[in-house]
mmCIF file of all heavy atoms in Angstrom:
data_model
loop_
_atom_site.group_PDB
_atom_site.id
_atom_site.type_symbol
_atom_site.label_atom_id
_atom_site.label_comp_id
_atom_site.label_asym_id
_atom_site.label_seq_id
_atom_site.Cartn_x
_atom_site.Cartn_y
_atom_site.Cartn_z
ATOM 1 N N ASN A 22 56.462 -9.179 5.022
ATOM 2 C CA ASN A 22 55.679 -8.298 4.326
ATOM 3 C C ASN A 22 55.373 -7.009 5.209
ATOM 4 O O ASN A 22 55.466 -5.867 4.856
ATOM 5 C CB ASN A 22 54.203 -8.811 3.960
ATOM 6 C CG ASN A 22 54.353 -9.745 2.809
ATOM 7 O OD1 ASN A 22 55.274 -9.589 1.951
ATOM 8 N ND2 ASN A 22 53.411 -10.718 2.702
ATOM 9 N N ILE A 23 55.165 -7.336 6.551
ATOM 10 C CA ILE A 23 55.081 -6.182 7.544
ATOM 11 C C ILE A 23 56.333 -5.359 7.595
ATOM 12 O O ILE A 23 56.371 -4.217 7.697
ATOM 13 C CB ILE A 23 54.616 -6.748 8.912
ATOM 14 C CG1 ILE A 23 53.215 -7.400 8.841
ATOM 15 C CG2 ILE A 23 54.757 -5.627 10.044
ATOM 16 C CD1 ILE A 23 52.855 -8.110 10.130
ATOM 17 N N ASN A 24 57.452 -6.056 7.656
ATOM 18 C CA ASN A 24 58.785 -5.495 7.624
ATOM 19 C C ASN A 24 58.911 -4.463 6.540
ATOM 20 O O ASN A 24 59.277 -3.359 6.711
ATOM 21 C CB ASN A 24 59.903 -6.504 7.447
ATOM 22 C CG ASN A 24 60.357 -7.333 8.644
ATOM 23 O OD1 ASN A 24 60.074 -6.773 9.733
ATOM 24 N ND2 ASN A 24 60.941 -8.420 8.438
ATOM 25 N N MET A 25 58.601 -4.902 5.252
ATOM 26 C CA MET A 25 58.802 -4.103 4.190
ATOM 27 C C MET A 25 57.913 -2.875 4.185
ATOM 28 O O MET A 25 58.332 -1.689 3.815
ATOM 29 C CB MET A 25 58.623 -4.790 2.792
ATOM 30 C CG MET A 25 59.625 -5.944 2.611
ATOM 31 S SD MET A 25 61.270 -5.163 2.411
ATOM 32 C CE MET A 25 61.951 -5.711 3.992
ATOM 33 N N ILE A 26 56.704 -3.019 4.744
ATOM 34 C CA ILE A 26 55.722 -1.846 4.721
ATOM 35 C C ILE A 26 56.178 -0.814 5.825
ATOM 36 O O ILE A 26 56.231 0.356 5.525
ATOM 37 C CB ILE A 26 54.216 -2.429 5.054
ATOM 38 C CG1 ILE A 26 53.687 -3.234 4.038
ATOM 39 C CG2 ILE A 26 53.402 -1.219 5.453
ATOM 40 C CD1 ILE A 26 52.464 -4.004 4.318
ATOM 41 N N VAL A 27 56.563 -1.314 6.967
ATOM 42 C CA VAL A 27 57.084 -0.337 8.036
ATOM 43 C C VAL A 27 58.366 0.193 7.553
ATOM 44 O O VAL A 27 58.683 1.453 7.833
ATOM 45 C CB VAL A 27 57.289 -1.126 9.310
ATOM 46 C CG1 VAL A 27 57.860 -0.271 10.467
ATOM 47 C CG2 VAL A 27 56.030 -1.762 9.793
ATOM 48 N N ALA A 28 59.274 -0.487 6.918
ATOM 49 C CA ALA A 28 60.545 0.069 6.529
ATOM 50 C C ALA A 28 60.312 1.098 5.343
ATOM 51 O O ALA A 28 61.024 2.188 5.417
ATOM 52 C CB ALA A 28 61.493 -1.083 5.933
ATOM 53 N N LEU A 29 59.380 0.858 4.452
ATOM 54 C CA LEU A 29 59.013 1.749 3.357
ATOM 55 C C LEU A 29 58.494 3.153 4.096
ATOM 56 O O LEU A 29 58.856 4.186 3.625
ATOM 57 C CB LEU A 29 58.055 1.362 2.471
ATOM 58 C CG LEU A 29 57.634 2.107 1.267
ATOM 59 C CD1 LEU A 29 58.761 2.464 0.421
ATOM 60 C CD2 LEU A 29 56.524 1.463 0.513
ATOM 61 N N ILE A 30 57.700 2.991 5.008
ATOM 62 C CA ILE A 30 57.009 4.098 5.755
ATOM 63 C C ILE A 30 58.260 4.983 6.340
ATOM 64 O O ILE A 30 58.288 6.174 6.271
ATOM 65 C CB ILE A 30 56.095 3.787 6.824
ATOM 66 C CG1 ILE A 30 54.773 3.168 6.114
ATOM 67 C CG2 ILE A 30 55.722 4.861 7.758
ATOM 68 C CD1 ILE A 30 53.864 2.455 7.059
ATOM 69 N N LEU A 31 59.107 4.326 7.082
ATOM 70 C CA LEU A 31 60.282 5.019 7.735
ATOM 71 C C LEU A 31 61.095 5.664 6.762
ATOM 72 O O LEU A 31 61.571 6.844 6.900
ATOM 73 C CB LEU A 31 61.059 4.064 8.598
ATOM 74 C CG LEU A 31 62.234 4.566 9.345
ATOM 75 C CD1 LEU A 31 61.630 5.552 10.474
ATOM 76 C CD2 LEU A 31 62.996 3.509 10.059
ATOM 77 N N LEU A 32 61.382 5.030 5.605
ATOM 78 C CA LEU A 32 62.253 5.579 4.530
ATOM 79 C C LEU A 32 61.644 6.823 3.953
ATOM 80 O O LEU A 32 62.264 7.875 3.821
ATOM 81 C CB LEU A 32 62.449 4.389 3.496
ATOM 82 C CG LEU A 32 63.325 4.952 2.365
ATOM 83 C CD1 LEU A 32 64.800 5.261 2.710
ATOM 84 C CD2 LEU A 32 63.383 3.823 1.215
ATOM 85 N N VAL A 33 60.403 6.740 3.647
ATOM 86 C CA VAL A 33 59.751 7.784 2.994
ATOM 87 C C VAL A 33 59.662 9.001 3.833
ATOM 88 O O VAL A 33 59.905 10.192 3.457
ATOM 89 C CB VAL A 33 58.215 7.331 2.465
ATOM 90 C CG1 VAL A 33 57.431 8.605 2.134
ATOM 91 C CG2 VAL A 33 58.311 6.352 1.341
ATOM 92 N N PHE A 34 59.406 8.733 5.155
ATOM 93 C CA PHE A 34 59.291 9.839 6.069
ATOM 94 C C PHE A 34 60.690 10.589 6.141
ATOM 95 O O PHE A 34 60.798 11.821 6.059
ATOM 96 C CB PHE A 34 58.927 9.369 7.523
ATOM 97 C CG PHE A 34 58.786 10.440 8.501
ATOM 98 C CD1 PHE A 34 57.675 11.342 8.514
ATOM 99 C CD2 PHE A 34 59.828 10.800 9.318
ATOM 100 C CE1 PHE A 34 57.551 12.347 9.425
ATOM 101 C CE2 PHE A 34 59.818 11.816 10.290
ATOM 102 C CZ PHE A 34 58.732 12.569 10.366
ATOM 103 N N VAL A 35 61.679 9.747 6.414
ATOM 104 C CA VAL A 35 63.103 10.468 6.626
ATOM 105 C C VAL A 35 63.488 11.215 5.325
ATOM 106 O O VAL A 35 64.046 12.298 5.309
ATOM 107 C CB VAL A 35 64.142 9.363 6.921
ATOM 108 C CG1 VAL A 35 65.492 10.070 6.938
ATOM 109 C CG2 VAL A 35 63.837 8.797 8.353
ATOM 110 N N ALA A 36 63.122 10.600 4.126
ATOM 111 C CA ALA A 36 63.479 11.224 2.924
ATOM 112 C C ALA A 36 62.634 12.448 2.695
ATOM 113 O O ALA A 36 63.224 13.409 2.088
ATOM 114 C CB ALA A 36 63.162 10.299 1.773
ATOM 115 N N ALA A 37 61.438 12.513 3.008
ATOM 116 C CA ALA A 37 60.476 13.602 2.889
ATOM 117 C C ALA A 37 60.982 14.890 3.719
ATOM 118 O O ALA A 37 61.022 15.921 3.139
ATOM 119 C CB ALA A 37 59.069 13.371 3.171
ATOM 120 N N VAL A 38 61.290 14.487 4.949
ATOM 121 C CA VAL A 38 61.684 15.626 5.834
ATOM 122 C C VAL A 38 63.080 16.173 5.696
ATOM 123 O O VAL A 38 63.506 17.182 6.130
ATOM 124 C CB VAL A 38 61.471 15.334 7.391
ATOM 125 C CG1 VAL A 38 59.918 14.982 7.623
ATOM 126 C CG2 VAL A 38 62.341 14.197 7.704
ATOM 127 N N SER A 39 63.808 15.355 4.854
ATOM 128 C CA SER A 39 65.274 15.702 4.579
ATOM 129 C C SER A 39 65.508 15.812 3.111
ATOM 130 O O SER A 39 66.585 15.453 2.650
ATOM 131 C CB SER A 39 66.233 14.746 5.264
ATOM 132 O OG SER A 39 65.887 14.591 6.631
ATOM 133 N N PHE A 40 64.529 16.138 2.362
ATOM 134 C CA PHE A 40 64.545 15.989 0.909
ATOM 135 C C PHE A 40 65.742 16.737 0.285
ATOM 136 O O PHE A 40 66.308 16.191 -0.605
ATOM 137 C CB PHE A 40 63.256 16.561 0.161
ATOM 138 C CG PHE A 40 63.164 16.297 -1.262
ATOM 139 C CD1 PHE A 40 62.935 15.008 -1.815
ATOM 140 C CD2 PHE A 40 63.333 17.398 -2.118
ATOM 141 C CE1 PHE A 40 62.968 14.842 -3.142
ATOM 142 C CE2 PHE A 40 63.398 17.170 -3.409
ATOM 143 C CZ PHE A 40 63.106 15.952 -3.967
ATOM 144 N N ALA A 41 65.985 17.967 0.785
ATOM 145 C CA ALA A 41 67.106 18.737 0.173
ATOM 146 C C ALA A 41 68.484 17.981 0.328
ATOM 147 O O ALA A 41 69.293 17.927 -0.636
ATOM 148 C CB ALA A 41 67.209 20.079 0.869
ATOM 149 N N VAL A 42 68.663 17.221 1.401
ATOM 150 C CA VAL A 42 69.855 16.446 1.549
ATOM 151 C C VAL A 42 69.782 15.166 0.803
ATOM 152 O O VAL A 42 70.721 14.796 0.022
ATOM 153 C CB VAL A 42 69.952 16.117 3.080
ATOM 154 C CG1 VAL A 42 71.201 15.116 3.236
ATOM 155 C CG2 VAL A 42 70.264 17.385 3.866
ATOM 156 N N VAL A 43 68.729 14.449 0.879
ATOM 157 C CA VAL A 43 68.538 13.072 0.238
ATOM 158 C C VAL A 43 68.586 13.175 -1.248
ATOM 159 O O VAL A 43 69.076 12.327 -1.885
ATOM 160 C CB VAL A 43 67.280 12.425 0.723
ATOM 161 C CG1 VAL A 43 66.984 11.177 0.124
ATOM 162 C CG2 VAL A 43 67.186 12.169 2.302
ATOM 163 N N SER A 44 67.979 14.248 -1.817
ATOM 164 C CA SER A 44 68.027 14.346 -3.196
ATOM 165 C C SER A 44 69.395 14.492 -3.799
ATOM 166 O O SER A 44 69.691 14.223 -4.967
ATOM 167 C CB SER A 44 67.237 15.652 -3.713
ATOM 168 O OG SER A 44 67.704 16.813 -3.080
ATOM 169 N N ARG A 45 70.318 14.887 -2.925
ATOM 170 C CA ARG A 45 71.717 14.991 -3.343
ATOM 171 C C ARG A 45 72.553 13.593 -2.909
ATOM 172 O O ARG A 45 73.374 13.247 -3.676
ATOM 173 C CB ARG A 45 72.436 16.143 -2.569
ATOM 174 C CG ARG A 45 73.942 16.215 -2.733
ATOM 175 C CD ARG A 45 74.551 17.574 -2.056
ATOM 176 N NE ARG A 45 74.026 17.652 -0.812
ATOM 177 C CZ ARG A 45 74.590 17.031 0.489
ATOM 178 N NH1 ARG A 45 75.627 16.184 0.169
ATOM 179 N NH2 ARG A 45 74.112 17.258 1.612
ATOM 180 N N THR A 46 72.260 13.114 -1.786
ATOM 181 C CA THR A 46 73.104 11.960 -1.208
ATOM 182 C C THR A 46 72.793 10.631 -1.884
ATOM 183 O O THR A 46 73.623 9.783 -1.988
ATOM 184 C CB THR A 46 72.929 11.875 0.318
ATOM 185 O OG1 THR A 46 71.581 11.668 0.717
ATOM 186 C CG2 THR A 46 73.541 13.137 1.037
ATOM 187 N N VAL A 47 71.516 10.450 -2.368
ATOM 188 C CA VAL A 47 71.231 9.201 -2.923
ATOM 189 C C VAL A 47 71.937 9.059 -4.228
ATOM 190 O O VAL A 47 72.603 7.996 -4.470
ATOM 191 C CB VAL A 47 69.679 8.975 -3.074
ATOM 192 C CG1 VAL A 47 69.357 7.732 -4.022
ATOM 193 C CG2 VAL A 47 69.033 8.833 -1.752
ATOM 194 N N PRO A 48 71.856 9.977 -5.155
ATOM 195 C CA PRO A 48 72.709 9.981 -6.370
ATOM 196 C C PRO A 48 74.192 9.862 -6.052
ATOM 197 O O PRO A 48 74.953 9.100 -6.771
ATOM 198 C CB PRO A 48 72.358 11.208 -7.145
ATOM 199 C CG PRO A 48 70.978 11.656 -6.663
ATOM 200 C CD PRO A 48 71.001 11.184 -5.194
ATOM 201 N N GLU A 49 74.620 10.514 -5.054
ATOM 202 C CA GLU A 49 76.050 10.553 -4.676
ATOM 203 C C GLU A 49 76.491 9.107 -4.355
ATOM 204 O O GLU A 49 77.543 8.650 -4.629
ATOM 205 C CB GLU A 49 76.330 11.609 -3.570
ATOM 206 C CG GLU A 49 76.655 12.903 -3.969
ATOM 207 C CD GLU A 49 77.097 13.769 -2.818
ATOM 208 O OE1 GLU A 49 77.129 13.258 -1.617
ATOM 209 O OE2 GLU A 49 77.335 14.943 -3.013
ATOM 210 N N THR A 50 75.541 8.452 -3.515
ATOM 211 C CA THR A 50 75.880 7.102 -3.177
ATOM 212 C C THR A 50 76.000 6.140 -4.299
ATOM 213 O O THR A 50 76.962 5.393 -4.444
ATOM 214 C CB THR A 50 74.734 6.524 -2.203
ATOM 215 O OG1 THR A 50 74.578 7.528 -1.108
ATOM 216 C CG2 THR A 50 74.932 5.128 -1.770
ATOM 217 N N ILE A 51 75.166 6.244 -5.299
ATOM 218 C CA ILE A 51 75.156 5.402 -6.520
ATOM 219 C C ILE A 51 76.381 5.704 -7.256
ATOM 220 O O ILE A 51 77.068 4.751 -7.769
ATOM 221 C CB ILE A 51 73.904 5.553 -7.269
ATOM 222 C CG1 ILE A 51 72.683 5.126 -6.462
ATOM 223 C CG2 ILE A 51 74.023 4.747 -8.657
ATOM 224 C CD1 ILE A 51 71.313 5.373 -7.040
ATOM 225 N N ILE A 52 76.745 6.910 -7.557
ATOM 226 C CA ILE A 52 77.822 7.393 -8.346
ATOM 227 C C ILE A 52 79.076 6.987 -7.687
ATOM 228 O O ILE A 52 79.984 6.366 -8.347
ATOM 229 C CB ILE A 52 77.821 8.863 -8.626
ATOM 230 C CG1 ILE A 52 76.570 9.191 -9.495
ATOM 231 C CG2 ILE A 52 79.053 9.319 -9.298
ATOM 232 C CD1 ILE A 52 76.369 10.688 -9.617
ATOM 233 N N SER A 53 79.215 7.218 -6.307
ATOM 234 C CA SER A 53 80.498 6.836 -5.682
ATOM 235 C C SER A 53 80.704 5.279 -5.662
ATOM 236 O O SER A 53 81.847 4.775 -5.766
ATOM 237 C CB SER A 53 80.401 7.361 -4.268
ATOM 238 O OG SER A 53 81.592 6.969 -3.554
ATOM 239 N N TYR A 54 79.478 4.542 -5.527
ATOM 240 C CA TYR A 54 79.669 3.054 -5.615
ATOM 241 C C TYR A 54 80.257 2.608 -6.883
ATOM 242 O O TYR A 54 81.179 1.834 -6.910
ATOM 243 C CB TYR A 54 78.218 2.642 -5.317
ATOM 244 C CG TYR A 54 78.193 1.087 -5.386
ATOM 245 C CD1 TYR A 54 79.264 0.056 -4.874
ATOM 246 C CD2 TYR A 54 77.086 0.324 -5.942
ATOM 247 C CE1 TYR A 54 79.059 -1.173 -4.877
ATOM 248 C CE2 TYR A 54 76.942 -1.015 -5.959
ATOM 249 C CZ TYR A 54 77.942 -1.826 -5.459
ATOM 250 O OH TYR A 54 77.845 -3.113 -5.416
ATOM 251 N N VAL A 55 79.711 3.116 -7.983
ATOM 252 C CA VAL A 55 80.076 2.734 -9.382
ATOM 253 C C VAL A 55 81.564 3.094 -9.618
ATOM 254 O O VAL A 55 82.373 2.365 -10.111
ATOM 255 C CB VAL A 55 79.155 3.444 -10.369
ATOM 256 C CG1 VAL A 55 79.766 3.195 -11.828
ATOM 257 C CG2 VAL A 55 77.762 2.761 -10.283
ATOM 258 N N GLU A 56 81.970 4.401 -9.217
ATOM 259 C CA GLU A 56 83.335 4.924 -9.465
ATOM 260 C C GLU A 56 84.335 4.007 -8.565
ATOM 261 O O GLU A 56 85.425 3.878 -9.043
ATOM 262 C CB GLU A 56 83.361 6.331 -8.971
ATOM 263 C CG GLU A 56 82.721 7.298 -9.926
ATOM 264 C CD GLU A 56 82.777 8.767 -9.443
ATOM 265 O OE1 GLU A 56 83.104 8.942 -8.201
ATOM 266 O OE2 GLU A 56 82.496 9.656 -10.280
ATOM 267 N N ASN A 57 83.970 3.612 -7.388
ATOM 268 C CA ASN A 57 85.045 3.024 -6.521
ATOM 269 C C ASN A 57 84.886 1.515 -6.390
ATOM 270 O O ASN A 57 85.716 0.927 -5.628
ATOM 271 C CB ASN A 57 84.827 3.664 -5.227
ATOM 272 C CG ASN A 57 85.246 5.117 -5.143
ATOM 273 O OD1 ASN A 57 86.263 5.468 -5.236
ATOM 274 N ND2 ASN A 57 84.197 5.957 -4.864
ATOM 275 N N ILE A 58 83.943 0.845 -7.091
ATOM 276 C CA ILE A 58 83.819 -0.630 -6.905
ATOM 277 C C ILE A 58 85.138 -1.336 -7.241
ATOM 278 O O ILE A 58 85.432 -2.266 -6.595
ATOM 279 C CB ILE A 58 82.509 -1.139 -7.633
ATOM 280 C CG1 ILE A 58 82.269 -2.669 -7.354
ATOM 281 C CG2 ILE A 58 82.687 -0.914 -9.064
ATOM 282 C CD1 ILE A 58 80.995 -3.171 -7.756
ATOM 283 N N ILE A 59 85.679 -0.852 -8.346
ATOM 284 C CA ILE A 59 86.929 -1.598 -8.852
ATOM 285 C C ILE A 59 88.105 -1.359 -7.844
ATOM 286 O O ILE A 59 88.779 -2.298 -7.472
ATOM 287 C CB ILE A 59 87.197 -1.217 -10.310
ATOM 288 C CG1 ILE A 59 86.174 -1.780 -11.288
ATOM 289 C CG2 ILE A 59 88.617 -1.695 -10.667
ATOM 290 C CD1 ILE A 59 86.389 -1.456 -12.688
ATOM 291 N N PRO A 60 88.443 -0.126 -7.521
ATOM 292 C CA PRO A 60 89.527 0.167 -6.628
ATOM 293 C C PRO A 60 89.310 -0.542 -5.202
ATOM 294 O O PRO A 60 90.233 -1.118 -4.740
ATOM 295 C CB PRO A 60 89.501 1.651 -6.405
ATOM 296 C CG PRO A 60 88.905 2.236 -7.602
ATOM 297 C CD PRO A 60 87.883 1.150 -8.041
ATOM 298 N N LEU A 61 88.069 -0.601 -4.769
ATOM 299 C CA LEU A 61 87.813 -1.261 -3.436
ATOM 300 C C LEU A 61 87.760 -2.736 -3.643
ATOM 301 O O LEU A 61 88.010 -3.522 -2.638
ATOM 302 C CB LEU A 61 86.329 -0.865 -2.967
ATOM 303 C CG LEU A 61 86.292 0.550 -2.518
ATOM 304 C CD1 LEU A 61 84.834 1.012 -2.256
ATOM 305 C CD2 LEU A 61 87.144 0.790 -1.211
ATOM 306 N N SER A 62 87.694 -3.323 -4.834
ATOM 307 C CA SER A 62 87.708 -4.798 -5.078
ATOM 308 C C SER A 62 89.160 -5.289 -5.371
ATOM 309 O O SER A 62 89.255 -6.586 -5.468
ATOM 310 C CB SER A 62 86.787 -5.056 -6.272
ATOM 311 O OG SER A 62 85.500 -4.720 -6.057
#
């Protein structure tokens, strides 16, 4: 439980200070994963 709380704090901080980047890269990560899961498999 402590792990998850500390990890969430770290994630939120990095996302907040890099929001312009993260708002683009998180969707890109999900889309690229879906697009490439079959070729990579």
Side-chain angles (χ1 to χ4, degrees):
N22 287 335
I23 294 172
N24 277 340
M25 292 300 103
I26 293 171
V27 177
L29 180 61
I30 292 171
L31 184 62
L32 176 66
V33 169
F34 178 84
V35 174
V38 299
S39 308
F40 183 75
V42 174
V43 172
S44 61
R45 169 177 53 82
T46 57
V47 169
E49 275 185 3
T50 300
I51 297 170
I52 292 169
S53 180
Y54 178 39
V55 173
E56 287 178 345
N57 292 291
I58 187 170
I59 292 179
L61 290 170
S62 298

